[in-house]
Amino acid sequence: MNAVVASLPGGRTSSQTRFERNSATAEQSWVRAVVLTLALVFFGLFLLLPLIAVFVEALRKGLEVYWTALADADALAAVRLTLLTALIALPLNLVFGVAAAWAIARFEFRGKHLLLTLIDLPFSVSPVIVGLMYVLLFGAHGWFGSWLAEHDIRIIFAVPGIVLATVFVTFPFVARELIPLMQAQGKEEEEAAVVLGARGWQVFWYVTLPNIKWGLLYGVILCNARAMGEFGAVSVVSGHIRGLTNTMPLHVEILYNEYNFAAAFAVASLLALLALLTLVIKTWVEHRTHTSGHRH
Amino acid sequence: MSGLSRHSVLPGFGLSLGYTLVYLSLIVLLPLAAVFAKTMSLSFVEFWAIVTEPRVLASYRLSFGTSLLAALINTVFGLLLAWALVRYSFPGKKLVDALVDLPFALPTAVAGIALTALYAPNGWLGQFIQGDLGIKVAFTPLGILVALVFIGLPFVVRTVQPILEDLDSEFEEAAASLGASRWQTIRYVVLPVLLPALLTGFALAFARAVGEYGSVIFIAGNIPMVSEITPLMIITKLEQYNYAGATAIAVVMLLLSFLMLLLVNGLQAWTARRTGRNR
């Protein structure tokens, strides 16, 4: 189909899409111009401009102010806490994602549809409510509040609360990526391995993992971006103690509310760079899976 | 356990499902149950009084109104953007395609301060919009709308784009050869195929917008009765140590979210039936 359309005479350049080369699917040139203009103006105004604004505002007062803001002890503590949080949340949700995908994509059982819906649930809960839930459980007046106080364990307004809230908001990412991928791949290869005498972990390590590695990476990348950037949920449970329970997004907020805009945007620019890196890796993984035929 | 997993030679069903269920219960279900259990400490009259306070009612109107409008704007422009990305060639297309996901990757607080820098009265765009047009964007409901359009932007593009890519041009060729104008072909052949995906994207963008907090609070101004979103009302109650009040509002939002989730699931099943795609 593609080849037929591509070989049609017409003499237009090969960079055109197959739709533009085909007179039945091409719009008049003024329609095309209007659609493109509207789409790209919308893109520029709502996506590109805010991104550029972050970097311009960060560097507005010069490189020296920029570096000073990043080298500040509280900023560095915020970076460390953000990295630590992601480092705990990622493996937890990675293991869960693989386990859930193995159960759901490889076996038939009742209630599977309900389980899938429940796994998606954290995406539809407002971040603020996520924070509230953990305050209700572990706060001073919460279910486990008095028990925790007796044993001198702090969860709310401390690092464990931040980690828990982050685990919740990033809960579905890996599972969501792996389940459709493993369902599409089917279980024949793994069954063949078992019939040939492979043990359970050997099957997973040598058959399943090589097949899902790109999907896994994809899920981990998205999970990481959200883990490092979460604001609402973490804001409720953090207590905003500088140098102790401040993640990078929370540090941005504190600086911004102190009218220290250059410093706020400097820390924000680090997060924006992380977002761009995430998109680069994501695009690269999509390209790889596209060319190796594992696209889903 | 093995009785449930008939006809499978693969190992690990009990372990993987057991772990999934325990982890799901601890991380997701138990905390959610805490919200509903806490509400039970209120009588219905108390609950109703909290969730219908004038300031809270104003926040619903604002949150739902701006979210609905933002999702509509995203549906229209998301379709145009998806159309341009699939059907047209233009310089920088790959870059545009990659950057569409920016709102998923960019922390909401960063988006919030960036948009405020653009739309504040002395901001990049704000000085012209307010100076020349007399319209105030930041610190008004209009600013909230801008933030919600930003965070909801990828949903419609990413639900419509794959359907549009898979759409075989044979249908449009048939329509054209039968004498349909290009507009008739799009209206009666292409759009009906895209409809479930458009609705799914709309619902996803709306659901995300209603619960959004980080990108909104910087640009909203948070003026009582004017620009306070519902998630902010929960925060306000929490800061006053009014846990029951915060929880009651949270329950209203959660019930709405679950309703949206059901709707999205139904829409996705419809998309799958219409197009034969799994996702």
Side-chain angles (χ1 to χ4, degrees):
Chain A
M1 178 76 220
N2 248 335
V4 173
V5 176
S7 64
L8 281 176
R12 298 206 202 161
T13 55
S14 60
S15 68
Q16 286 181 316
T17 64
R18 64 187 162 101
F19 301 102
E20 284 172 307
R21 284 191 296 267
N22 185 341
S23 67
T25 55
E27 286 85 39
Q28 283 169 298
S29 57
W30 71 269
V31 177
R32 180 181 178 278
V34 169
V35 170
L36 260 181
T37 309
L38 283 174
L40 291 181
V41 165
F42 179 71
F43 169 83
L45 213 57
F46 281 95
L47 276 184
L48 206 53
L49 211 51
L51 183 65
I52 294 169
V54 173
F55 293 103
V56 173
E57 293 289 330
L59 295 169
R60 172 162 279 188
K61 298 223 168 118
L63 269 176
E64 203 177 321
V65 175
Y66 183 78
W67 290 120
T68 315
L70 294 185
D72 177 63
D74 290 339
L76 289 177
V79 173
R80 269 196 300 274
L81 181 57
T82 294
L83 291 175
L84 175 74
T85 307
L87 221 58
I88 301 173
L90 278 184
L92 284 175
N93 284 336
L94 178 66
V95 171
F96 161 73
V98 172
W102 184 263
I104 289 170
R106 292 294 174 260
F107 300 95
E108 292 307 319
F109 54 93
R110 259 176 302 155
K112 191 194 261 192
H113 198 76
L114 178 68
L115 182 59
L116 276 169
T117 309
L118 289 177
I119 288 174
D120 266 351
L121 210 54
F123 276 158
S124 51
V125 177
S126 173
V128 169
I129 297 177
V130 176
L132 170 72
M133 295 183 323
Y134 288 107
V135 171
L136 292 178
L137 282 178
F138 304 117
H141 305 284
W143 284 4
F144 306 113
S146 50
W147 186 88
L148 290 169
E150 274 168 32
H151 294 77
D152 205 23
I153 304 170
R154 286 187 72 89
I155 291 184
I156 298 304
F157 305 144
V159 175
I162 294 174
V163 172
L164 276 173
T166 305
V167 168
F168 186 99
V169 294
T170 58
F171 182 87
F173 279 104
V174 178
R176 247 186 145 183
E177 214 43 60
L178 288 188
I179 292 167
L181 178 65
M182 284 176 66
Q183 277 176 334
Q185 284 172 350
K187 53 185 173 186
E188 287 78 12
E189 288 182 33
E190 280 125 354
E191 283 173 344
V194 169
V195 171
L196 291 171
R199 289 158 180 275
W201 288 110
Q202 287 177 317
V203 173
F204 177 74
W205 206 250
Y206 294 110
V207 179
T208 311
L209 201 56
N211 278 336
I212 62 169
K213 61 179 185 232
W214 295 115
L216 207 62
L217 179 63
Y218 196 91
V220 167
I221 291 295
L222 296 182
C223 185
N224 179 61
R226 182 73 195 264
M228 292 194 173
E230 178 53 30
F231 177 76
V234 169
S235 165
V236 174
V237 295
S238 129
H240 306 270
I241 307 160
R242 274 192 139 164
L244 283 178
T245 61
N246 241 0
T247 61
M248 286 168 78
L250 297 179
H251 195 59
V252 169
E253 185 201 19
I254 288 192
L255 292 169
Y256 190 85
N257 287 342
E258 288 170 348
Y259 301 102
N260 192 350
F261 295 134
F265 277 102
V267 179
S269 74
L270 283 189
L271 289 166
L273 282 176
L274 172 79
L276 288 179
L277 182 69
T278 304
L279 292 185
V280 168
I281 300 176
K282 181 174 172 290
T283 309
W284 179 68
V285 172
E286 273 167 6
H287 179 72
R288 285 216 58 129
T289 48
H290 189 61
T291 46
S292 67
H294 277 169
R295 196 160 186 267
H296 48 281
Chain B
M1 278 296 189
S2 59
L4 287 167
S5 59
R6 284 156 291 155
H7 318 303
S8 186
V9 296
L10 294 178
F13 177 67
L15 178 67
S16 59
L17 186 65
Y19 183 78
T20 301
L21 292 178
V22 170
Y23 189 75
L24 176 78
S25 306
L26 281 179
I27 299 289
V28 178
L29 300 183
L30 178 73
L32 275 174
V35 175
F36 287 96
K38 181 75 184 174
T39 332
M40 294 302 159
S41 68
L42 293 169
S43 74
F44 184 75
V45 177
E46 288 170 317
F47 174 81
W48 192 251
I50 293 167
V51 300
T52 57
E53 267 174 42
R55 208 169 141 190
V56 178
L57 283 180
S59 83
Y60 300 143
R61 271 196 296 276
L62 179 71
S63 273
F64 296 137
T66 49
S67 299
L68 212 60
L69 208 55
L72 272 173
I73 292 173
N74 275 325
T75 307
V76 174
F77 286 93
L79 173 63
L80 291 182
L81 200 50
W83 192 274
L85 283 173
V86 174
R87 301 239 158 174
Y88 300 152
S89 53
F90 55 90
K93 179 168 156 172
K94 282 197 173 133
L95 188 73
V96 172
D97 196 8
L99 277 181
V100 163
D101 284 325
L102 184 72
F104 287 157
L106 193 71
T108 52
V110 177
I113 63 169
L115 290 169
T116 313
L118 292 178
Y119 290 97
N122 57 353
W124 297 23
L125 300 171
Q127 53 182 316
F128 301 113
I129 299 172
Q130 190 161 357
D132 301 342
L133 303 172
I135 301 169
K136 213 175 162 214
V137 180
F139 318 127
T140 71
L142 200 56
I144 300 176
L145 182 67
V146 169
L148 295 181
V149 168
F150 173 84
I151 55 130
L153 196 150
F155 288 104
V156 173
V157 181
R158 292 306 188 218
T159 47
V160 170
Q161 200 178 10
I163 309 289
L164 208 49
E165 265 165 9
D166 282 1
L167 188 64
D168 214 317
S169 43
E170 275 171 15
F171 299 109
E172 286 162 77
E173 283 161 10
S177 70
L178 291 170
S181 73
R182 186 66 192 136
W183 169 245
Q184 284 175 321
T185 307
I186 290 175
R187 170 72 187 77
Y188 296 106
V189 178
V190 181
L191 280 186
V193 180
L194 297 183
L195 185 67
L198 277 171
L199 287 172
T200 307
F202 173 84
L204 286 170
F206 175 75
R208 172 73 204 264
V210 168
E212 178 57 21
Y213 178 71
S215 60
V216 174
I217 51 151
F218 293 98
I219 203 171
N222 308 324
I223 307 153
M225 304 297 291
V226 177
S227 58
E228 278 185 327
I229 53 168
T230 308
L232 182 70
M233 294 311 305
I234 297 176
I235 298 267
T236 309
K237 301 259 181 221
L238 262 179
E239 280 169 355
Q240 297 161 348
Y241 301 102
N242 182 356
Y243 293 115
T247 312
I249 302 171
V251 164
V252 172
M253 286 195 71
L254 277 177
L255 290 178
L256 179 96
S257 302
F258 296 161
L259 214 65
M260 291 300 298
L261 188 65
L262 280 179
L263 182 72
V264 169
N265 272 352
L267 283 170
Q268 274 167 345
W270 185 28
T271 314
R273 275 202 306 278
R274 269 267 174 111
T275 62
R277 278 182 71 94
N278 277 325
R279 275 222 296 180

